[in-house]
Amino acid sequence: MTERGKPVRHEVKSSVKDETLIEKRRDQMIRGAVKLFREKGFHRTTTREIAKEAGFSIGTLYEYIRTKEDVLYLVCDRIYDEVNSRLAPLAGQPGTIGGLKDAIHQYITLIDDMDDEFTVMYQESKSLPKTALKYVLEKELEMTALFEKILIGCAETGELRISGKEAKLAAHHIVVQGQMWAFRRWALHKLFTLQEFITMQTDELINGLVVRQREGEPS
């Protein structure tokens, strides 16, 4: 961790200095790797196959990464960048039930957009080196903290009566329940549309919080 408590980013070394080109090539690698990791699994996929799927030679691939684990790390990091981009602005606003619902909608919609990436992350992140895995787990907690901040904001504005501990648990609940849309999609996609899933998950969460709130009221 840094002095400010932020996760220390795992360094993926590149011999190329052009940042725009690095991002472009790594984006191609991520797309190719996700497809292969989903089809074959991380350990059965080779860097040569990733290069071919990405559309360039193995030599070119090694100009932008050093190991296959680097590509897996980039997949995980891309997810958290997207989550932060969509949710951080909402977490900075005054807490409202409407804002909480919007954040849940944004989050599960992102999971739908990146369902392969989320599935790969949760199936294969255990294969990361220790430092990279530590970073990924810390980023997972940061993602959860965004929802915790929104929930606490709702308590501060009087929209919900919820303790700090309850906010922490509810935040983890939102994150895990949303991710079901990716790793249980083989069943859920046959039963619900995306909007039905979002609505039902959101209603269950909000209703559960309201019920607890009423139970805590004096009789």
Side-chain angles (χ1 to χ4, degrees):
M1 301 286 283
T2 66
E3 291 182 0
R4 294 184 179 181
K6 293 290 184 181
V8 178
R9 185 180 289 271
H10 174 71
E11 183 182 4
V12 179
K13 295 181 179 179
S14 171
S15 60
V16 177
K17 303 303 180 185
D18 185 334
E19 292 295 331
T20 301
L21 187 57
I22 290 173
E23 186 163 347
K24 178 182 177 181
R25 291 287 184 249
R26 285 181 175 173
D27 185 62
Q28 290 173 281
M29 285 180 210
I30 289 170
R31 291 201 304 270
V34 165
K35 180 176 182 293
L36 290 167
F37 293 163
R38 282 283 294 148
E39 290 175 354
K40 302 180 61 174
F42 174 78
H43 291 291
R44 293 178 59 198
T45 299
T46 67
T47 50
R48 188 172 297 278
E49 288 172 326
I50 294 172
K52 182 179 179 181
E53 189 68 35
F56 40 76
S57 69
I58 185 69
T60 299
L61 181 137
Y62 281 122
E63 291 177 358
Y64 297 93
I65 54 103
R66 291 292 180 269
T67 67
K68 185 170 63 171
E69 287 77 10
D70 281 345
V71 183
L72 177 58
Y73 166 79
L74 291 172
V75 172
C76 298
D77 202 38
R78 173 68 56 85
I79 289 171
Y80 295 122
D81 283 346
E82 289 294 329
V83 169
N84 189 66
S85 175
R86 295 197 190 189
L87 296 187
L90 297 173
Q93 297 175 6
T96 64
I97 296 298
L100 175 60
K101 288 181 176 181
D102 189 22
I104 294 171
H105 186 278
Q106 292 277 0
Y107 173 60
I108 298 179
T109 300
L110 173 62
I111 291 172
D112 185 62
D113 292 341
M114 303 181 73
D115 57 356
D116 282 338
E117 287 89 340
F118 270 93
T119 302
V120 164
M121 180 175 69
Y122 284 100
Q123 287 179 341
E124 308 293 357
S125 59
K126 61 185 178 294
S127 300
L128 288 167
K130 281 187 178 181
T131 55
L133 179 58
K134 183 174 184 289
Y135 172 82
V136 166
L137 294 177
E138 287 169 348
K139 293 294 283 186
E140 177 85 2
L141 292 178
E142 275 195 357
M143 180 170 68
T144 307
L146 290 172
F147 282 108
E148 183 184 343
K149 186 176 181 181
I150 294 170
L151 287 159
I152 290 173
C154 289
E156 290 172 346
T157 58
E159 296 256 324
L160 286 173
R161 281 210 294 274
I162 184 172
S163 70
K165 207 164 191 178
E166 288 170 330
K168 287 181 183 295
L169 181 59
H172 281 281
H173 175 84
I174 292 168
V175 169
V176 173
Q177 293 299 96
Q179 290 164 358
M180 267 204 319
W181 186 247
F183 56 75
R184 295 284 296 180
R185 63 179 173 178
W186 58 271
L188 294 175
H189 289 205
K190 297 175 184 177
L191 300 172
F192 310 105
T193 65
L194 173 63
Q195 190 54 54
E196 285 172 340
F197 179 78
I198 293 172
T199 299
M200 292 174 71
Q201 290 284 23
T202 304
D203 287 348
E204 284 186 9
L205 173 79
I206 301 299
N207 291 339
L209 292 173
V210 170
V211 167
R212 284 206 300 272
Q213 181 173 309
R214 288 173 179 165
E215 288 176 346
E217 292 176 355
S219 55

